[in-house]
């Protein structure tokens, strides 16, 4: 996906790993542009947006409620999301969000 | 009396949430200098460097504790390409390149078992060359084999050209293996069978290469899930073997788990911090086997872990404390775990046996089902007849009570064929018998496995018979 920067857009890199990429069209790296909003973009909103716009296979393997499924780790700029407020973290432009699944079927 | 008041916690909680709101960077607990990048068990914050050091230390400590690795030992590294096995490879590579006083003195040799037949085709074409490259870059000697090698006498290849993946091209055996998996009805048995199959291949090849030590990349999270799912699968007796740091199911081979003190979260962060890309995908995604008991157990553990961050450790340490006092002679011929012979006290085993037998009566919607059952029971003798010398082998009657149960079952007409199936089953543990029960037909089972299982069983029987006459 080409990266276009518009004045009223919110560019972000979203990456998947550990098998989660298979739920997102088998692509590991997505450069996404989120629509500009009045309220700041949080991880909670990003997960909902991903579910609506990027997810191609079985949503139950990725989301649970408004968060990701237990067993899927979230890293923002290589930092554990537990350190930065989890779902309430306010995304900044050009952040790199990485979702890695540790689930393997037992 | 306890002096901790509830307010203390309240205070602590509020300061933490304030911290998070302000987005203040938390510092590393160890060096108190750098910004923390990972939070473990909801309380330990570490920066990149301290965390990587901790993992390396844990790995070396686990290896040291086993006291089994001697200088110049050759060790077979079971590599699947998943996140843990890539971490293992990285840690080993660091270990052999360390300064002289810390350097590993043993020689790792990699065995890559290719499971890519379960992956989507496009992914296969892209990811296999990447794995080959990772193997080449590791600098270790490596062998390549496939899951389907059970049909080809466990053949493996020693490859030097990274671009040559012709040996991994799909062949007839792959199709047989896929049919075998499609033939297994439940996802639970599929997952269990896959796990046992991997071990089987590792053991066989280690034996062919004459290595007596194998490293596998199972982490704490994997093993704690294994403890619970083993119990639910009727493999409770095998828990201590399946999670041990040194698993000695087979007397002449040590299966060592050097990553058993490292959790899956730590593995992922170790890989991210070291910029190691994950290569292969775990079985659940491509096969979509998410209706299995093992997967449910996995979710259960992860869900609990969210609320109670010590879940994985607690379960894992419980598994560690369990001991099996089993007789070495009575081993399952497929998974090499002990079989409980004296089942007189195990009422649940008897109950579930009766349940399996009467299952055919309970869910018998139409005639097709009936036919399937009959086919299943006839399939085995026809296979066994293909084994040379089997005809002459002495047939022994199976235990009385099992026989009684079969005779009651009118749908299984032929008692002799039943006895054959039971003979095979008798040489398997309860868990493996379940897998066999779940197969629609036994036609796709590799003839080598049948041959070996029955031959070993016959030899054991013979030994028991002449035991009294031996001096």
């Amino acid at each position: 996906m080409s990266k276009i920067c518009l004045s009223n857009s919110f560019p972000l890199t979203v990456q998947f790993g550990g098998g989660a990429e298979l739920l997102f069209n088998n692509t590991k790296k997505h450069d996404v542009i989120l629509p500009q909003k009045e309220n700041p973009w949080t991880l909670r909103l990003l997960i909902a947006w991903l579910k609506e716009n990027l997810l191609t296979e079985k949503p139950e393997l990725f989301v649970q409620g408004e968060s990701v499924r237990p067993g899927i780790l979230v890293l923002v700029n290589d930092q554990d999301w537990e350190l930065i407020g989890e779902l309430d973290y306010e995304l900044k432009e050009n952040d790199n969000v990485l979702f890695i699944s540790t689930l393997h079927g037992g | 009396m306890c002096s901790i008041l509830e307010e203390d916690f309240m205070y602590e909680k509020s300061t933490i949430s304030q911290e998070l709101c302000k987005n203040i960077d938390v510092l590393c607990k160890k060096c108190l200098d750098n910004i923390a990048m990972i939070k473990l068990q909801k309380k330990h914050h570490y920066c990149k460097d301290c965390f990587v050091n901790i993992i390396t230390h844990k790995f070396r400590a686990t290896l040291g504790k086993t006291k089994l690795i001697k200088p110049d030992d050759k060790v077979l590294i079971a590599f699947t390409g998943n996140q843990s096995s890539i971490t293992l490879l990285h840690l080993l590579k660091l270990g052999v390149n360390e300064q002289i006083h810390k350097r590993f003195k043993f020689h790792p040799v990699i065995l890559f078992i290719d499971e890519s037949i379960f992956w989507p085709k496009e992914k296969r074409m892209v990811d296999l060359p990447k794995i080959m490259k990772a193997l080449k870059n590791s600098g270790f000697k490596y062998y390549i084999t496939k899951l389907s090698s059970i049909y080809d006498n466990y053949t493996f290849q020693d490859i030097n050209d990274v671009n040559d993946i012709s040996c991994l091209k799909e062949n007839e055996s792959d199709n047989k293996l896929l049919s075998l998996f499609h033939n297994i009805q439940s996802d639970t048995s599929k997952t269990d069978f896959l796990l046992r199959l991997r071990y089987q291949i590792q053991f066989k090849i280690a034996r062919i290469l004459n290595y007596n030590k194998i490293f596998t990349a199972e982490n704490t999270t994997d093993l704690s899930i294994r403890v619970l799912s083993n119990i639910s699968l009727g493999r409770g007796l095998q828990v201590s073997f399946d999670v041990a740091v040194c698993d000695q199911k087979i007397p002449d081979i040590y299966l060592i788990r050097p990553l058993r003190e490292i959790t899956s979260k730590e593995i992922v962060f170790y890989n991210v911090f070291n910029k190691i890309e994950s290569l292969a995908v775990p079985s659940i995604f491509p096969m979509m086997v998410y209706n299995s008991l093992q997967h449910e157990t996995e979710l259960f553990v992860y869900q609990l872990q969210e609320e109670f961050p010590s879940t994985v450790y607690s379960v894992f340490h419980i598994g560690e404390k369990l001991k099996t006092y089993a007789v070495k002679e009575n081993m399952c011929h497929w998974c090499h775990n002990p079989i409980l012979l004296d089942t007189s006290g195990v009422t649940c085993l008897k109950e579930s046996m009766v349940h399996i037998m009467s299952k055919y009566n309970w869910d018998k919607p139409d005639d097709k089902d009936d036919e399937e059952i009959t086919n299943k029971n006839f399939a085995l003798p026809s296979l066994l007849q293909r084994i040379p010398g089997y005809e002459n082998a002495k047939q022994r009657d199976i235990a009385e009570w099992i026989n009684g149960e079969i005779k009651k079952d009118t749908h299984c007409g032929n008692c002799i064929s039943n006895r054959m199936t039971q003979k095979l089953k008798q040489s398997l543990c309860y868990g493996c018998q379940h897998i066999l029960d779940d197969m629609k037909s036994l036609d796709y089972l590799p003839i080598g496995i049948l041959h070996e299982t029955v031959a070993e069983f016959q030899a054991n029987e013979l030994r028991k018979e002449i035991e009294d006459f031996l001096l």
Side-chain angles (χ1 to χ4, degrees), chain B residues 72-94:
Chain B
D72 291 328
D73 261 354
K74 278 204 230 161
V75 182
L76 197 66
I77 315 293
F79 181 82
T80 55
N82 67 10
Q83 304 187 69
S84 307
S85 60
I86 291 170
T87 309
L88 177 61
L89 213 60
H90 191 262
L91 285 165
L92 285 169
K93 198 178 165 188
L94 285 183

PDB file of all heavy atoms in Angstrom, chain B residues 72-94:
ATOM      1  N   ASP B  72      32.188 -31.160  23.466  1.00  0.00           N
ATOM      2  CA  ASP B  72      32.260 -31.960  22.244  1.00  0.00           C
ATOM      3  C   ASP B  72      31.056 -32.869  22.001  1.00  0.00           C
ATOM      4  O   ASP B  72      31.072 -33.700  21.104  1.00  0.00           O
ATOM      5  CB  ASP B  72      33.546 -32.801  22.176  1.00  0.00           C
ATOM      6  CG  ASP B  72      34.763 -31.913  21.978  1.00  0.00           C
ATOM      7  OD1 ASP B  72      34.610 -30.856  21.324  1.00  0.00           O
ATOM      8  OD2 ASP B  72      35.831 -32.233  22.508  1.00  0.00           O
ATOM      9  N   ASP B  73      30.019 -32.708  22.808  1.00  0.00           N
ATOM     10  CA  ASP B  73      28.782 -33.442  22.539  1.00  0.00           C
ATOM     11  C   ASP B  73      28.162 -32.914  21.260  1.00  0.00           C
ATOM     12  O   ASP B  73      28.238 -31.717  20.979  1.00  0.00           O
ATOM     13  CB  ASP B  73      27.776 -33.186  23.671  1.00  0.00           C
ATOM     14  CG  ASP B  73      27.772 -34.302  24.667  1.00  0.00           C
ATOM     15  OD1 ASP B  73      28.443 -35.295  24.415  1.00  0.00           O
ATOM     16  OD2 ASP B  73      27.076 -34.165  25.700  1.00  0.00           O
ATOM     17  N   LYS B  74      27.513 -33.804  20.509  1.00  0.00           N
ATOM     18  CA  LYS B  74      26.756 -33.339  19.350  1.00  0.00           C
ATOM     19  C   LYS B  74      25.292 -33.324  19.739  1.00  0.00           C
ATOM     20  O   LYS B  74      24.775 -34.315  20.252  1.00  0.00           O
ATOM     21  CB  LYS B  74      26.982 -34.283  18.172  1.00  0.00           C
ATOM     22  CG  LYS B  74      28.266 -33.995  17.442  1.00  0.00           C
ATOM     23  CD  LYS B  74      28.143 -34.517  16.038  1.00  0.00           C
ATOM     24  CE  LYS B  74      29.324 -35.358  15.653  1.00  0.00           C
ATOM     25  NZ  LYS B  74      29.036 -36.212  14.527  1.00  0.00           N
ATOM     26  N   VAL B  75      24.658 -32.181  19.543  1.00  0.00           N
ATOM     27  CA  VAL B  75      23.267 -32.047  19.972  1.00  0.00           C
ATOM     28  C   VAL B  75      22.389 -31.740  18.771  1.00  0.00           C
ATOM     29  O   VAL B  75      22.696 -30.860  17.964  1.00  0.00           O
ATOM     30  CB  VAL B  75      23.126 -30.910  21.019  1.00  0.00           C
ATOM     31  CG1 VAL B  75      21.698 -30.802  21.489  1.00  0.00           C
ATOM     32  CG2 VAL B  75      24.045 -31.141  22.187  1.00  0.00           C
ATOM     33  N   LEU B  76      21.289 -32.462  18.656  1.00  0.00           N
ATOM     34  CA  LEU B  76      20.360 -32.238  17.549  1.00  0.00           C
ATOM     35  C   LEU B  76      19.352 -31.179  17.986  1.00  0.00           C
ATOM     36  O   LEU B  76      18.705 -31.319  19.027  1.00  0.00           O
ATOM     37  CB  LEU B  76      19.644 -33.551  17.226  1.00  0.00           C
ATOM     38  CG  LEU B  76      18.950 -33.616  15.883  1.00  0.00           C
ATOM     39  CD1 LEU B  76      19.977 -33.555  14.762  1.00  0.00           C
ATOM     40  CD2 LEU B  76      18.148 -34.900  15.756  1.00  0.00           C
ATOM     41  N   ILE B  77      19.244 -30.096  17.223  1.00  0.00           N
ATOM     42  CA  ILE B  77      18.318 -29.024  17.578  1.00  0.00           C
ATOM     43  C   ILE B  77      17.063 -29.178  16.723  1.00  0.00           C
ATOM     44  O   ILE B  77      17.117 -29.034  15.502  1.00  0.00           O
ATOM     45  CB  ILE B  77      18.934 -27.638  17.290  1.00  0.00           C
ATOM     46  CG1 ILE B  77      20.375 -27.550  17.784  1.00  0.00           C
ATOM     47  CG2 ILE B  77      18.068 -26.517  17.843  1.00  0.00           C
ATOM     48  CD1 ILE B  77      20.544 -27.603  19.255  1.00  0.00           C
ATOM     49  N   ALA B  78      15.946 -29.463  17.367  1.00  0.00           N
ATOM     50  CA  ALA B  78      14.698 -29.614  16.609  1.00  0.00           C
ATOM     51  C   ALA B  78      14.174 -28.226  16.267  1.00  0.00           C
ATOM     52  O   ALA B  78      13.861 -27.443  17.152  1.00  0.00           O
ATOM     53  CB  ALA B  78      13.683 -30.376  17.434  1.00  0.00           C
ATOM     54  N   PHE B  79      14.116 -27.929  14.975  1.00  0.00           N
ATOM     55  CA  PHE B  79      13.764 -26.580  14.524  1.00  0.00           C
ATOM     56  C   PHE B  79      12.500 -26.644  13.669  1.00  0.00           C
ATOM     57  O   PHE B  79      12.427 -27.447  12.741  1.00  0.00           O
ATOM     58  CB  PHE B  79      14.943 -26.035  13.711  1.00  0.00           C
ATOM     59  CG  PHE B  79      14.758 -24.647  13.183  1.00  0.00           C
ATOM     60  CD1 PHE B  79      14.994 -23.551  13.984  1.00  0.00           C
ATOM     61  CD2 PHE B  79      14.342 -24.434  11.878  1.00  0.00           C
ATOM     62  CE1 PHE B  79      14.841 -22.260  13.492  1.00  0.00           C
ATOM     63  CE2 PHE B  79      14.170 -23.153  11.381  1.00  0.00           C
ATOM     64  CZ  PHE B  79      14.435 -22.071  12.194  1.00  0.00           C
ATOM     65  N   THR B  80      11.500 -25.838  14.036  1.00  0.00           N
ATOM     66  CA  THR B  80      10.278 -25.851  13.217  1.00  0.00           C
ATOM     67  C   THR B  80      10.101 -24.526  12.488  1.00  0.00           C
ATOM     68  O   THR B  80       9.267 -24.409  11.616  1.00  0.00           O
ATOM     69  CB  THR B  80       9.028 -26.084  14.081  1.00  0.00           C
ATOM     70  OG1 THR B  80       9.007 -25.085  15.098  1.00  0.00           O
ATOM     71  CG2 THR B  80       9.010 -27.452  14.693  1.00  0.00           C
ATOM     72  N   GLY B  81      10.869 -23.509  12.886  1.00  0.00           N
ATOM     73  CA  GLY B  81      10.716 -22.205  12.261  1.00  0.00           C
ATOM     74  C   GLY B  81       9.772 -21.311  13.043  1.00  0.00           C
ATOM     75  O   GLY B  81       9.572 -20.154  12.689  1.00  0.00           O
ATOM     76  N   ASN B  82       9.174 -21.800  14.117  1.00  0.00           N
ATOM     77  CA  ASN B  82       8.279 -20.936  14.900  1.00  0.00           C
ATOM     78  C   ASN B  82       9.097 -19.992  15.785  1.00  0.00           C
ATOM     79  O   ASN B  82      10.325 -20.066  15.815  1.00  0.00           O
ATOM     80  CB  ASN B  82       7.268 -21.765  15.692  1.00  0.00           C
ATOM     81  CG  ASN B  82       7.906 -22.588  16.788  1.00  0.00           C
ATOM     82  OD1 ASN B  82       9.081 -22.431  17.101  1.00  0.00           O
ATOM     83  ND2 ASN B  82       7.152 -23.484  17.358  1.00  0.00           N
ATOM     84  N   GLN B  83       8.395 -19.117  16.503  1.00  0.00           N
ATOM     85  CA  GLN B  83       9.094 -18.052  17.230  1.00  0.00           C
ATOM     86  C   GLN B  83      10.081 -18.599  18.254  1.00  0.00           C
ATOM     87  O   GLN B  83      11.209 -18.119  18.358  1.00  0.00           O
ATOM     88  CB  GLN B  83       8.070 -17.156  17.909  1.00  0.00           C
ATOM     89  CG  GLN B  83       7.084 -16.604  16.914  1.00  0.00           C
ATOM     90  CD  GLN B  83       6.159 -15.573  17.523  1.00  0.00           C
ATOM     91  OE1 GLN B  83       6.591 -14.494  17.874  1.00  0.00           O
ATOM     92  NE2 GLN B  83       4.904 -15.904  17.646  1.00  0.00           N
ATOM     93  N   SER B  84       9.663 -19.627  19.004  1.00  0.00           N
ATOM     94  CA  SER B  84      10.557 -20.166  20.035  1.00  0.00           C
ATOM     95  C   SER B  84      11.797 -20.797  19.420  1.00  0.00           C
ATOM     96  O   SER B  84      12.897 -20.636  19.943  1.00  0.00           O
ATOM     97  CB  SER B  84       9.854 -21.236  20.860  1.00  0.00           C
ATOM     98  OG  SER B  84       8.662 -20.767  21.352  1.00  0.00           O
ATOM     99  N   SER B  85      11.611 -21.514  18.297  1.00  0.00           N
ATOM    100  CA  SER B  85      12.787 -22.207  17.766  1.00  0.00           C
ATOM    101  C   SER B  85      13.771 -21.217  17.153  1.00  0.00           C
ATOM    102  O   SER B  85      14.974 -21.471  17.137  1.00  0.00           O
ATOM    103  CB  SER B  85      12.400 -23.327  16.797  1.00  0.00           C
ATOM    104  OG  SER B  85      11.693 -22.849  15.716  1.00  0.00           O
ATOM    105  N   ILE B  86      13.254 -20.073  16.688  1.00  0.00           N
ATOM    106  CA  ILE B  86      14.168 -19.055  16.172  1.00  0.00           C
ATOM    107  C   ILE B  86      14.962 -18.429  17.323  1.00  0.00           C
ATOM    108  O   ILE B  86      16.154 -18.170  17.207  1.00  0.00           O
ATOM    109  CB  ILE B  86      13.387 -17.992  15.388  1.00  0.00           C
ATOM    110  CG1 ILE B  86      12.864 -18.630  14.109  1.00  0.00           C
ATOM    111  CG2 ILE B  86      14.247 -16.802  15.038  1.00  0.00           C
ATOM    112  CD1 ILE B  86      11.904 -17.794  13.362  1.00  0.00           C
ATOM    113  N   THR B  87      14.274 -18.253  18.461  1.00  0.00           N
ATOM    114  CA  THR B  87      14.964 -17.732  19.641  1.00  0.00           C
ATOM    115  C   THR B  87      16.062 -18.705  20.072  1.00  0.00           C
ATOM    116  O   THR B  87      17.186 -18.292  20.376  1.00  0.00           O
ATOM    117  CB  THR B  87      13.960 -17.551  20.803  1.00  0.00           C
ATOM    118  OG1 THR B  87      12.859 -16.817  20.321  1.00  0.00           O
ATOM    119  CG2 THR B  87      14.571 -16.835  21.965  1.00  0.00           C
ATOM    120  N   LEU B  88      15.714 -19.980  20.089  1.00  0.00           N
ATOM    121  CA  LEU B  88      16.691 -21.009  20.488  1.00  0.00           C
ATOM    122  C   LEU B  88      17.933 -20.945  19.601  1.00  0.00           C
ATOM    123  O   LEU B  88      19.066 -20.984  20.089  1.00  0.00           O
ATOM    124  CB  LEU B  88      16.029 -22.392  20.407  1.00  0.00           C
ATOM    125  CG  LEU B  88      16.904 -23.602  20.724  1.00  0.00           C
ATOM    126  CD1 LEU B  88      17.430 -23.534  22.152  1.00  0.00           C
ATOM    127  CD2 LEU B  88      16.139 -24.906  20.531  1.00  0.00           C
ATOM    128  N   LEU B  89      17.678 -20.805  18.304  1.00  0.00           N
ATOM    129  CA  LEU B  89      18.785 -20.756  17.352  1.00  0.00           C
ATOM    130  C   LEU B  89      19.672 -19.537  17.622  1.00  0.00           C
ATOM    131  O   LEU B  89      20.903 -19.620  17.610  1.00  0.00           O
ATOM    132  CB  LEU B  89      18.194 -20.660  15.944  1.00  0.00           C
ATOM    133  CG  LEU B  89      18.965 -21.322  14.828  1.00  0.00           C
ATOM    134  CD1 LEU B  89      19.084 -22.797  15.116  1.00  0.00           C
ATOM    135  CD2 LEU B  89      18.253 -21.127  13.499  1.00  0.00           C
ATOM    136  N   HIS B  90      19.020 -18.398  17.902  1.00  0.00           N
ATOM    137  CA  HIS B  90      19.741 -17.159  18.155  1.00  0.00           C
ATOM    138  C   HIS B  90      20.591 -17.277  19.415  1.00  0.00           C
ATOM    139  O   HIS B  90      21.761 -16.874  19.435  1.00  0.00           O
ATOM    140  CB  HIS B  90      18.736 -16.011  18.281  1.00  0.00           C
ATOM    141  CG  HIS B  90      19.369 -14.661  18.274  1.00  0.00           C
ATOM    142  ND1 HIS B  90      19.630 -13.973  19.436  1.00  0.00           N
ATOM    143  CD2 HIS B  90      19.816 -13.887  17.259  1.00  0.00           C
ATOM    144  CE1 HIS B  90      20.206 -12.822  19.123  1.00  0.00           C
ATOM    145  NE2 HIS B  90      20.329 -12.739  17.813  1.00  0.00           N
ATOM    146  N   LEU B  91      19.992 -17.865  20.476  1.00  0.00           N
ATOM    147  CA  LEU B  91      20.712 -18.012  21.740  1.00  0.00           C
ATOM    148  C   LEU B  91      21.911 -18.952  21.583  1.00  0.00           C
ATOM    149  O   LEU B  91      22.985 -18.707  22.158  1.00  0.00           O
ATOM    150  CB  LEU B  91      19.763 -18.549  22.818  1.00  0.00           C
ATOM    151  CG  LEU B  91      18.764 -17.543  23.373  1.00  0.00           C
ATOM    152  CD1 LEU B  91      17.655 -18.235  24.132  1.00  0.00           C
ATOM    153  CD2 LEU B  91      19.454 -16.531  24.280  1.00  0.00           C
ATOM    154  N   LEU B  92      21.715 -20.000  20.790  1.00  0.00           N
ATOM    155  CA  LEU B  92      22.823 -20.940  20.572  1.00  0.00           C
ATOM    156  C   LEU B  92      23.948 -20.280  19.789  1.00  0.00           C
ATOM    157  O   LEU B  92      25.121 -20.459  20.085  1.00  0.00           O
ATOM    158  CB  LEU B  92      22.321 -22.171  19.811  1.00  0.00           C
ATOM    159  CG  LEU B  92      21.492 -23.164  20.615  1.00  0.00           C
ATOM    160  CD1 LEU B  92      20.842 -24.172  19.696  1.00  0.00           C
ATOM    161  CD2 LEU B  92      22.359 -23.886  21.633  1.00  0.00           C
ATOM    162  N   LYS B  93      23.522 -19.487  18.795  1.00  0.00           N
ATOM    163  CA  LYS B  93      24.514 -18.815  17.956  1.00  0.00           C
ATOM    164  C   LYS B  93      25.350 -17.854  18.808  1.00  0.00           C
ATOM    165  O   LYS B  93      26.582 -17.792  18.673  1.00  0.00           O
ATOM    166  CB  LYS B  93      23.783 -18.056  16.849  1.00  0.00           C
ATOM    167  CG  LYS B  93      24.666 -17.680  15.694  1.00  0.00           C
ATOM    168  CD  LYS B  93      23.860 -16.970  14.636  1.00  0.00           C
ATOM    169  CE  LYS B  93      24.751 -16.262  13.661  1.00  0.00           C
ATOM    170  NZ  LYS B  93      23.961 -15.429  12.749  1.00  0.00           N
ATOM    171  N   LEU B  94      24.668 -17.133  19.709  1.00  0.00           N
ATOM    172  CA  LEU B  94      25.397 -16.239  20.606  1.00  0.00           C
ATOM    173  C   LEU B  94      26.339 -17.034  21.493  1.00  0.00           C
ATOM    174  O   LEU B  94      27.474 -16.633  21.725  1.00  0.00           O
ATOM    175  CB  LEU B  94      24.410 -15.474  21.499  1.00  0.00           C
ATOM    176  CG  LEU B  94      23.619 -14.334  20.885  1.00  0.00           C
ATOM    177  CD1 LEU B  94      22.771 -13.678  21.959  1.00  0.00           C
ATOM    178  CD2 LEU B  94      24.569 -13.301  20.274  1.00  0.00           C
TER     179      LEU B  94
END
